[in-house]
């Protein structure tokens, strides 16, 4: 479930988008996306607003707190990767990709 949470918030970083579109693009069950967005909203990381073009749907966007969280996660991931791969040469790292 944690990877779904990360995928949702990372995908929202770029632009607001419809909740159902997000579920389809990430290939996550729509019911799960609703629960994830509920958790993100409760934590203050995302906000759900009515779509002005189609009042039946919601648009999702990341809050400033969500962006700060993503920045921290990115920094932690890079630091962890560097520590894990620190003993490899540049060529060895490139070969892993």
């Amino acid at each position: 479930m944690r990877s779904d949470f990360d995928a949702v918030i990372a995908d929202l970083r770029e632009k607001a988008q419809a909740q159902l579109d997000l579920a389809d693009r990430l290939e996550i069950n729509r019911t799960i996306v609703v629960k994830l967005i509920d958790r993100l909203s409760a934590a203050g990381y995302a906000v759900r607003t009515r779509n002005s073009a189609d009042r039946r749907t919601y648009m999702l966007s990341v809050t400033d707190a969500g962006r700060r969280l993503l920045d921290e996660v990115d920094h932690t991931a890079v630091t962890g990767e560097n520590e894990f791969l620190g003993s490899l040469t540049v060529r060895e790292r490139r070969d892993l990709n």
Side-chain angles (χ1 to χ4, degrees), residues 4-72:
D4 288 345
F5 184 86
D6 295 339
V8 168
I9 192 120
D11 203 54
L12 290 174
R13 174 186 248 173
E14 299 303 317
K15 63 180 175 116
Q17 51 198 290
Q19 188 168 300
L20 295 179
D21 292 343
L22 178 68
D24 290 343
R25 188 173 48 266
L26 295 176
E27 298 179 351
I28 298 174
N29 180 287
R30 293 174 178 183
T31 303
I32 291 171
V33 168
V34 169
K35 291 177 184 177
L36 290 169
I37 297 304
D38 287 345
R39 289 174 50 206
L40 288 168
S41 294
Y45 298 135
V47 64
R48 183 188 279 134
T49 56
R50 286 278 183 197
N51 183 348
S52 60
D54 182 353
R55 302 282 299 156
R56 296 170 297 167
T57 63
Y58 288 96
M59 296 298 288
L60 307 170
S61 56
V62 175
T63 63
D64 290 340
R67 282 186 181 73
R68 285 191 298 274
L69 175 66
L70 286 169
D71 291 343
E72 289 175 28

